[in-house]
Amino acid sequence: MKRHSIGEFEHLVLLAALRLGPDAYGVSITDEIEDRTGRDVTQAAAYLTLKRLEKKGWLEGRQEPGDEERGLRERRCYVVTKEGRDRLADVRSGLVNMWDGVAEELGG
Amino acid sequence: MSARPPRWSSRLAGWATPASDRESVLGDLQERFQRRAERAGVPAARRWYRRQAVILAVALVPRRLGAALAGLAVPGTLRGAVRSLVRSPSTAALALATLTVGVAAPSAVFGLLGGFTSSLPGDENGRIVALEVVAPSAGGAPALPWSAVATWAETTAGPAGPFEALAAFRSDGGVAVAAEGAWAARYPAAWMSADAFRVLDVEPVAGRLYRNGERVGGLPAALVSEAIWADRFDRDPGALGRTLRIDGVDHVVVGVLPADFGFPVDQRVWMEPDPDAPASWQAVARLAPDVTTQAAEERLTALVGAQPEFAAMASGPANLRARVEPYAAAHWGDDTEGMAQFLAISVLLLVVAAVNVANIMLARGARRADETTVRLALGGSRLQVMLPLLAEVAVLAGIGSMLGLAVGRAALDAMVGHITRNGIEMPYWMDFSDGSASVLFAAGMAVLAAMVSGLVPALRTSKLDAHGALRVRSDAGPGGSARLMTAVVGVEVAVSCTLLLFCGVAVADAVASERKGLEFPTRGVATGRLVLEDFDYPDGEARLRLAHGFLDALRARPEVEAAALTTSIPGTARGSRPVALEGVDELSGDPPSAVVRTVDPGFFEMMAVEPTAGRLLAASDGPGTPIVAVVNRGFAVSRSADANPVGRRITWRGDDSEPTSATIVGVVDDRGVTPDERGSPTAGVYFAWAQHSPDVLRPLTVLRNPGTPVPDVWREVLAALDPNLPLHDVRTLDEELARDRSGSTLVVALFGAFGAFALLLSVVGLHGVHAFLMAGRTRELGVRRALGAPTGRLLRQSLTKGLRPVGVGLLVGFAAGWALVRTSTVLGTDLESGLAYRVAMVTVPLLLLATSALAVWWPTRRASNTDPAAVLREG
């Protein structure tokens, strides 16, 4: 099977969805990333990345009814699939290995 | 109360997002918007929302389009379109020809406009500017003395001033240039200060430039064009340092300027200026970087207000001001405005062409109704249904624009060739060869044509549904399409009428000013021009000696049948000036103009001009005898009540601006003058050569043997009289007259072609639509005939119905055309009184109506003549 590469923003979205649990959806995910990283997330970037992650099989989406705040429009909720979790674990162990011994170099 | 996101941005975001995700994306956006509104206020939230919508659109639309096109299989569709067009070759050829000419006309005019508006070489961003002083209340622009321009150069050109460099110049359309003992010729020349070379950024190809006030061995310096260096000196480096006699003054050639340089217009010789020459100067400058023309103008205006040279002109300082404008624009002024109108008219022609193609496509779309219905029933999208038709239009527009570009290029070359061949001075910087702009323009025109001709029929087709298609079949006439096509015909007739009216008036105007009165012999007559300069011929006696010597020597030659002298070519309106008739008007009261010609007595005989009263000019009318004149009938009839002004005096202003009087001794017929705008002969006055001894000779000569070259005979005769006297403009009289008419010939050719094409298009379009509609009604007409309806009535009804949109179109088009003719600056100003105007205003609508009636009648007759039995059998 083809092994998809993972981009930096995809990494952040997957982590946000993992943190938020089964009720993660577009707004909560962008809020989570904006709060924790301090960067602005455009709706277009969030939408395209969520679509891509779903296509790669790392996220699974489902439609839920919307509330007043969003004009009763449906919301699409996401959970991280097993493949998604495995991929995150791989990336993490790779990164931890790479960071080993160099974090001090950056003063952190 | 929750805030609402901006409506249009919300629509944009929704439109950009695929339908399956639209709800969740819009919901997310709205939720984030609400939170932002609470946190940062509604205006900030709305700004954020707009930005998000735009980014969404930018990110998603190209993906969606790409996916849609991939789904439609564009290459296959285009191949299908080509196949479909090849299957109906006549329709395709008609549409293609229509689009080709439709694109060719505007792209040729665009190329012409591009050439006329090209900038000077070495002029980045219009920094070479013409400087002028204008005094509106004193009636225009005062003359610029040398001292004034010198002051400008001292105070405004330099590191601190608005100009990098500033120069004075003046030019002459032809000065006598003679290389001692080698050759003599006339060349356009200019006197300009050495700063001009910096302004214009020009370098010599040989030798060097001259410096301000430089003397070479006590003589002023001159530069010649590479063209002269090649033609006259065979590119000999030894030409540098040679002495040339220019307008009677010796100059030393110090350098050669490139052949493609010709400042200020198309000059070939440049000389150091003589500041003491009693002349009016012009000024040209290069703007310093970052200085605008307005800033320069303000600075110069302040300076001009304080200059003593203009003190007499300034009724108040505010009245006098400087004008700074890009040199090329200043040179052409309003002419480009006329060209722009011309361009607009040619684009209108393209619109007519495109509307025609739209009609062809509407008919094709209607025929394709079955196929469309099936596609729609199978779940095809609107885009998919429109695609075959759009692809056909795209193929037609693509090929049509390429062909149009080629045809337009050829037409442009022909026009430029015509203009330059006929001696209209083309400034050296004009470049008609720049193709890239034309290609872009043609591409734009092709898109316009495709949009006009493709979108309406395609949308129409896509609106069909199963029900509509069924109705189409049962009616055998595409209900909505028929109405639309009829409306389109109305629009087409209206636009054609506007165009045709404009072109008709232009052509009629030009034809009316043609020389109908050419009843004098022109065949075999050769003409030329000799100019006697003051320095060689200081007085009338010397000029007369040369003229008589030349004429006598010519007449003495055995090969010369006849020879005569005139100051302006017969059959042209050149040499026109105000002439006052005693007892009728005064010279100070701005009397009407007459064509004034000074001729020797032999002129009348050669041109077969006969006296109708009094006598002709005679050899005895010489210096020392009372000044006499002969007038033509046009003058006599239009100016004096009894049409016999013999014995009365006329007054006119000569070349030296002094009023001169003469007694009328005879009246002659109107040969050799031109009819005016109303078709009556122009007033003409003839003076005796020996009494005025003009400094310009236009010799007319007829040889016994037409094979002998006249110039050789003239040169041989001149060699004995004055070997340094250059002979110019040697042509036959017919050529000279053709040049005189070249402007109107071009107008007639261009507008005639435009008008003819507009007429052809509207007739073809009308015929096509009506034939299509009638084909659909064949069955109905057959049934009605079978039921006993008389053919005449059916024909009348169909004709009336068919001509209704034509009538509406004619009314609208006539009103628009009338407005266009009246506001246009391309046409003459005194149109309404002219016969041409009235003729065109009546002829054009009648012509359109007649051809339209024919175009409608033909298919109607065919349809109503169908055998009812055959129709019923088929039914």
Side-chain angles (χ1 to χ4, degrees):
Chain A
M1 198 180 98
K2 189 186 165 201
R3 192 180 155 87
H4 294 292
S5 60
I6 184 167
E8 188 208 353
F9 192 65
E10 289 177 345
H11 194 173
L12 294 179
V13 171
L14 276 180
L15 284 174
L18 197 63
R19 299 181 79 87
L20 291 165
D23 289 335
Y25 71 108
V27 176
S28 60
I29 291 171
T30 50
D31 281 356
E32 183 75 12
I33 298 173
E34 284 185 343
D35 289 349
R36 290 192 169 267
T37 64
R39 62 196 261 180
D40 269 337
V41 178
T42 66
Q43 192 62 40
Y47 165 71
L48 286 171
T49 309
L50 286 167
K51 282 294 274 188
R52 201 160 51 237
L53 291 174
E54 239 187 309
K55 202 173 163 193
K56 287 178 177 176
W58 298 341
L59 281 183
E60 191 181 317
R62 67 179 191 285
Q63 298 296 113
E64 295 276 341
D67 54 17
E68 280 292 331
E69 195 185 13
R70 46 192 290 124
L72 298 176
R73 293 181 194 275
E74 286 181 344
R75 87 174 89 208
R76 191 160 180 82
C77 295
Y78 298 92
V79 285
V80 184
T81 60
K82 175 153 185 322
E83 288 84 25
R85 286 167 186 265
D86 291 349
R87 189 79 182 92
L88 274 177
D90 281 355
V91 173
R92 183 174 183 276
S93 77
L95 282 176
V96 167
N97 287 340
M98 286 306 290
W99 275 105
D100 189 26
V102 293
E104 295 79 9
E105 297 268 323
L106 296 176
Chain B
M1 174 78 194
S2 63
R4 292 173 67 86
R7 193 153 49 121
W8 282 104
S9 299
S10 169
R11 284 190 183 167
L12 177 66
W15 173 75
T17 318
S20 56
D21 300 322
R22 196 167 291 147
E23 281 290 289
S24 62
V25 168
L26 286 179
D28 281 4
L29 266 175
Q30 185 162 352
E31 207 178 320
R32 293 180 75 188
F33 167 77
Q34 295 296 353
R35 292 186 192 176
R36 227 160 249 266
E38 284 161 24
R39 207 169 57 232
V42 176
R46 289 172 74 89
R47 275 199 301 279
W48 173 86
Y49 195 103
R50 280 192 204 103
R51 201 171 143 251
Q52 298 299 317
V54 170
I55 296 174
L56 257 177
V58 170
L60 298 183
V61 170
R63 287 162 204 262
R64 291 195 60 194
L65 268 183
L69 289 178
L72 294 169
V74 170
T77 313
L78 283 180
R79 271 198 302 276
V82 172
R83 268 201 299 276
S84 155
L85 287 171
V86 169
R87 272 201 298 273
S88 40
S90 55
T91 312
L94 187 66
L96 202 58
T98 305
L99 282 176
T100 299
V101 185
V103 172
S107 60
V109 176
F110 179 80
L112 207 56
L113 189 63
F116 278 119
T117 52
S118 34
S119 55
L120 273 67
D123 183 15
E124 59 291 342
N125 322 319
R127 308 207 69 78
I128 298 180
V129 288
L131 312 180
E132 250 192 311
V133 174
V134 284
S137 69
L144 280 184
W146 172 268
S147 58
V149 185
T151 311
W152 295 356
E154 277 163 31
T155 48
T156 61
F163 304 115
E164 276 180 11
L166 192 157
F169 70 94
R170 67 187 176 91
S171 58
D172 190 318
V175 297
V177 181
E180 205 58 46
W183 50 267
R186 287 186 87 75
Y187 286 110
W191 291 261
M192 56 190 200
S193 56
D195 303 297
F197 305 124
R198 270 218 300 146
V199 172
L200 302 165
D201 194 16
V202 60
E203 294 289 337
V205 292
R208 59 175 178 85
L209 302 171
Y210 55 72
R211 293 183 293 277
N212 280 330
E214 183 187 356
R215 285 287 173 278
V216 185
L219 295 176
L223 296 165
V224 295
S225 165
E226 200 178 352
I228 295 183
W229 190 42
D231 290 351
R232 300 287 185 180
F233 296 105
D234 278 337
R235 297 184 170 273
D236 175 16
L240 301 171
R242 284 275 300 264
T243 302
L244 286 184
R245 197 170 172 78
I246 307 172
D247 255 7
V249 180
D250 283 338
H251 285 73
V252 177
V253 178
V254 297
V256 178
L257 293 184
D260 58 3
F261 178 81
F263 188 84
V265 181
D266 197 17
Q267 265 50 28
R268 288 284 168 258
V269 176
W270 298 269
M271 289 159 283
E272 264 193 80
D274 174 9
D276 300 327
S280 175
W281 296 83
Q282 287 175 278
V284 63
R286 180 179 283 268
L287 279 177
D290 308 326
V291 174
T292 61
T293 49
Q294 288 87 343
E297 214 164 76
E298 279 166 27
R299 180 76 192 274
L300 206 58
T301 298
L303 184 61
V304 164
Q307 280 186 288
E309 288 91 342
F310 304 113
M313 293 292 292
S315 54
N319 172 44
L320 199 69
R321 59 181 188 82
R323 187 152 65 196
V324 176
E325 59 179 329
Y327 187 83
H331 186 89
W332 283 98
D334 292 345
D335 285 15
T336 50
E337 219 173 275
M339 293 294 295
Q341 284 187 19
F342 211 42
L343 184 64
I345 286 163
S346 61
V347 172
L348 212 58
L349 191 65
L350 174 66
V351 172
V352 179
V355 166
N356 228 3
V357 176
N359 258 337
I360 295 172
M361 288 297 145
L362 267 173
R364 282 176 81 81
R367 281 194 201 108
R368 206 179 258 154
D370 286 350
E371 180 195 335
T372 307
T373 320
V374 173
R375 276 175 184 253
L376 283 171
L378 292 175
S381 69
R382 277 181 74 178
L383 190 60
Q384 276 171 330
V385 170
M386 286 197 285
L387 208 68
L389 223 152
L390 283 178
E392 281 181 18
V393 172
V395 168
L396 287 173
I399 302 175
S401 61
M402 277 188 276
L403 289 176
L405 195 63
V407 174
R409 190 76 233 173
L412 174 63
D413 289 345
M415 281 193 279
V416 173
H418 179 89
I419 293 171
T420 45
R421 257 198 318 282
N422 287 291
I424 293 173
E425 270 185 15
M426 279 286 190
Y428 73 101
W429 65 82
M430 279 192 189
D431 180 13
F432 294 92
S433 60
D434 180 21
S436 56
S438 299
V439 170
L440 273 180
F441 183 78
M445 289 297 106
V447 171
L448 173 72
M451 298 232 303
V452 173
S453 54
L455 227 46
V456 172
L459 284 173
R460 183 85 230 158
T461 310
S462 76
K463 277 190 182 152
L464 285 173
D465 52 21
H467 174 70
L470 280 177
R471 204 180 59 220
V472 166
R473 202 183 289 165
S474 66
D475 282 359
S481 286
R483 271 196 301 278
L484 189 63
M485 284 166 86
T486 313
V488 170
V489 163
V491 171
E492 193 175 342
V493 169
V495 179
S496 298
C497 182
T498 306
L499 251 174
L500 206 59
L501 207 58
F502 188 87
C503 297
V505 171
V507 170
D509 187 39
V511 169
S513 57
E514 287 270 305
R515 290 49 170 136
K516 278 175 291 194
L518 279 182
E519 297 147 355
F520 57 91
T522 60
R523 278 179 66 85
V525 181
T527 73
R529 184 204 299 271
L530 292 165
V531 182
L532 309 181
E533 303 287 357
D534 287 350
F535 40 83
D536 286 330
Y537 298 90
D539 51 36
E541 203 180 315
R543 292 197 294 269
L544 195 57
R545 207 162 40 236
L546 183 276
H548 278 162
F550 180 62
L551 211 50
D552 293 344
L554 268 182
R555 285 176 181 153
R557 307 261 309 203
E559 64 268 53
V560 174
E561 188 178 305
L565 290 177
T566 171
T567 44
S568 76
I569 297 293
T572 70
R574 297 178 209 162
S576 186
R577 64 184 58 176
V579 176
L581 177 63
E582 185 186 34
V584 176
D585 39 31
E586 300 273 335
L587 199 54
S588 57
D590 198 15
S593 288
V595 174
V596 171
R597 228 167 248 158
T598 305
V599 298
D600 85 284
F603 175 88
F604 297 111
E605 193 186 334
M606 185 186 264
M607 293 293 124
V609 176
E610 301 281 345
T612 60
R615 66 170 175 93
L616 289 174
L617 296 171
S620 56
D621 297 319
T625 59
I627 309 268
V628 293
V630 162
V631 299
N632 70 345
R633 276 194 58 76
F635 183 94
V637 170
S638 67
R639 305 293 293 281
S640 76
D642 56 357
N644 186 6
V646 173
R648 287 155 77 177
R649 293 181 69 76
I650 54 170
T651 316
W652 79 102
R653 228 178 271 282
D655 287 329
D656 52 4
S657 298
E658 289 301 312
T660 316
S661 291
T663 307
I664 299 173
V665 294
V667 179
V668 295
D669 63 33
D670 292 324
R671 286 197 184 111
V673 298
T674 61
D676 65 8
E677 278 183 358
R678 287 169 199 77
S680 33
T682 310
V685 180
Y686 300 93
F687 295 115
W689 194 279
Q691 292 187 326
H692 301 276
S693 45
D695 54 3
V696 175
L697 286 73
R698 307 294 316 250
L700 304 170
T701 303
V702 183
L703 295 186
R704 286 184 210 289
N705 173 10
T708 322
V710 177
D712 291 355
V713 179
W714 281 340
R715 284 201 185 94
E716 278 169 37
V717 169
L718 278 178
L721 293 167
D722 180 353
N724 280 339
L725 190 62
L727 177 65
H728 324 273
D729 303 342
V730 179
R731 298 184 190 100
T732 68
L733 184 52
D734 284 325
E735 280 168 357
E736 197 61 59
L737 292 172
R739 286 167 75 90
D740 195 59
R741 268 171 265 158
S742 70
S744 60
T745 316
L746 190 67
V747 167
V748 170
L750 273 179
F751 281 108
F754 278 20
F757 189 60
L759 181 67
L760 189 74
L761 280 181
S762 70
V763 168
V764 166
L766 195 61
H767 176 267
V769 168
H770 208 69
F772 173 75
L773 295 180
M774 277 297 136
R777 290 184 58 202
T778 312
R779 199 177 120 80
E780 175 210 326
L781 292 176
V783 170
R784 285 174 65 182
R785 275 193 70 195
L787 291 175
T791 317
R793 196 169 76 203
L794 291 181
L795 204 63
R796 233 182 358 262
Q797 280 176 350
S798 300
L799 259 179
T800 319
K801 202 171 166 189
L803 281 177
R804 207 171 296 148
V806 174
V808 175
L810 274 181
L811 277 180
V812 174
F814 188 82
W818 184 74
L820 188 68
V821 165
R822 291 194 57 112
T823 52
S824 169
T825 54
V826 177
L827 303 171
T829 45
D830 189 27
L831 276 174
E832 284 84 347
S833 56
L835 190 65
Y837 175 78
R838 284 175 233 159
V839 168
M841 282 303 204
V842 175
T843 317
V844 165
L846 283 181
L847 182 70
L848 253 177
L849 193 66
T851 47
S852 302
L854 214 63
V856 171
W857 177 77
W858 184 248
T860 310
R861 204 182 101 93
R862 234 179 30 189
S864 51
N865 275 354
T866 322
D867 179 11
V871 173
L872 292 176
R873 260 201 309 279
E874 271 174 28

